[in-house]
Amino acid sequence: MVASNAKLNKRELVLDRLGRDIAAGVFAVGEKIPPEPELELRFEASRSVIREAIKGLVAKGMISVGPRLGTRVNPMQEWGLLDRDVLQWLLTSPNADKNLYFAIDEVRAMIEPTSAMLAAQRATPAQVAEIRKAFTRMQQAAVDMDVDAAVQSDRDFHIAVLKATQNPVLQAFDNAVGAILGVLFVTTHMEHFTANLGRHGEVLEAIANKQPFEAAQAMTRVIGFTTELLQQNQIIGNKGLGGEL
């Protein structure tokens, strides 16, 4: 079991290093990545570990493997952009594309206000309680100036709203929304988190009071706060986004 865990951890390390290099453009689109023997030496890993990491990148759409083509980097349009790892590698690369931040913001604007509206119509008392618990943890994180707690509680809040839609198709986006939020909170400026806290409270109260229109509007304001910061270029840096989203 220990050996198996060590192998898994090594595989994750190789996957992460290669993924970051590809996202950063170290290996250009259409370019071959180094052959297995070279990767074995570079990472001091077995061939099986290297092959498992390569399979992981293939599954994420970042590379293609062919008998004559070798292992080549795919265009970004083919990458799994809702995959948590892929998003993190892209948004935390030194040359992160600002347009990608805005694209993510647009996706949230399409999904989350509608989710808040449906949650206001359909949430069970237990689901409202989960949203309220997450918001209470957000408030405590602001008091404690606890960045980690702020990140986790805010993510929990948005996912709880999504689950309360009772829509199985929307609920299937929970991993995607969670991935987006997780990546956008690479670093969090607590002043932004605190400034946007009240808008989350408005979402909660509208859902609890079964006010669909108000819930959608409040969630739009939550996301609008992020859009404003993006436009002001306040939350884009070499390490990705910082700020409460």
Side-chain angles (χ1 to χ4, degrees):
M1 180 65 71
V2 174
S4 178
N5 288 338
K7 182 178 179 181
L8 178 61
N9 291 338
K10 192 69 174 181
R11 178 260 187 192
E12 291 173 348
L13 174 64
V14 174
L15 177 67
D16 183 71
R17 292 280 300 280
L18 285 174
R20 289 183 186 279
D21 283 348
I22 293 170
V26 174
F27 305 112
V29 172
E31 182 181 344
K32 290 184 179 181
I33 67 171
E36 288 180 357
E38 184 176 334
L39 293 176
E40 290 174 42
L41 291 174
R42 178 184 297 187
F43 297 112
E44 298 180 347
S46 67
R47 180 157 299 188
S48 63
V49 166
I50 297 300
R51 287 180 175 175
E52 288 173 10
I54 293 297
K55 287 180 182 178
L57 292 172
V58 170
K60 295 176 187 296
M62 298 184 77
I63 61 174
S64 296
V65 178
R68 293 186 179 181
L69 296 177
T71 304
R72 296 181 181 269
V73 176
N74 290 332
M76 193 177 74
Q77 293 86 341
E78 298 180 22
W79 300 2
L81 294 180
L82 292 181
D83 181 281
R84 182 186 298 273
D85 291 335
V86 176
L87 276 172
Q88 183 175 4
W89 295 332
L90 279 168
L91 294 178
T92 58
S93 69
N95 56 346
D97 185 355
K98 180 178 179 178
N99 291 328
L100 185 57
Y101 294 102
F102 284 104
I104 291 170
D105 206 47
E106 288 176 351
V107 172
R108 292 188 65 203
M110 287 187 285
I111 294 175
E112 295 200 66
T114 299
S115 296
M117 178 188 71
L118 292 175
Q121 295 172 329
R122 303 171 180 175
T124 66
Q127 288 171 329
V128 173
E130 285 301 310
I131 299 171
R132 192 177 297 279
K133 287 178 184 176
F135 181 67
T136 299
R137 293 197 300 273
M138 290 175 68
Q139 291 177 308
Q140 189 60 51
V143 171
D144 297 339
M145 297 296 289
D146 186 332
V147 173
D148 290 338
V151 170
Q152 187 59 52
S153 59
D154 201 348
R155 180 182 180 279
D156 291 345
F157 180 93
H158 287 271
I159 297 301
V161 171
L162 191 64
K163 290 181 178 179
T165 64
Q166 311 294 353
N167 182 313
V169 177
L170 274 175
Q171 288 172 342
F173 280 90
D174 61 349
N175 287 333
V177 171
I180 290 170
L181 290 171
V183 169
L184 293 182
F185 287 122
V186 175
T187 59
T188 297
H189 297 311
M190 290 302 295
E191 63 269 25
H192 294 158
F193 176 86
T194 303
N196 208 17
L197 192 57
R199 296 176 182 85
H200 285 76
E202 293 170 3
V203 173
L204 166 62
E205 293 310 315
I207 291 174
N209 293 324
K210 297 189 178 299
Q211 298 172 310
F213 177 78
E214 289 80 0
Q217 289 296 99
M219 186 63 86
T220 298
R221 288 192 291 273
V222 167
I223 298 169
F225 180 81
T226 306
T227 303
E228 182 179 345
L229 292 176
L230 279 167
Q231 291 171 343
Q232 295 172 1
N233 205 33
Q234 290 189 27
I235 54 176
I236 298 180
N238 289 337
K239 293 184 179 180
L241 289 185
E244 200 295 311
L245 306 179

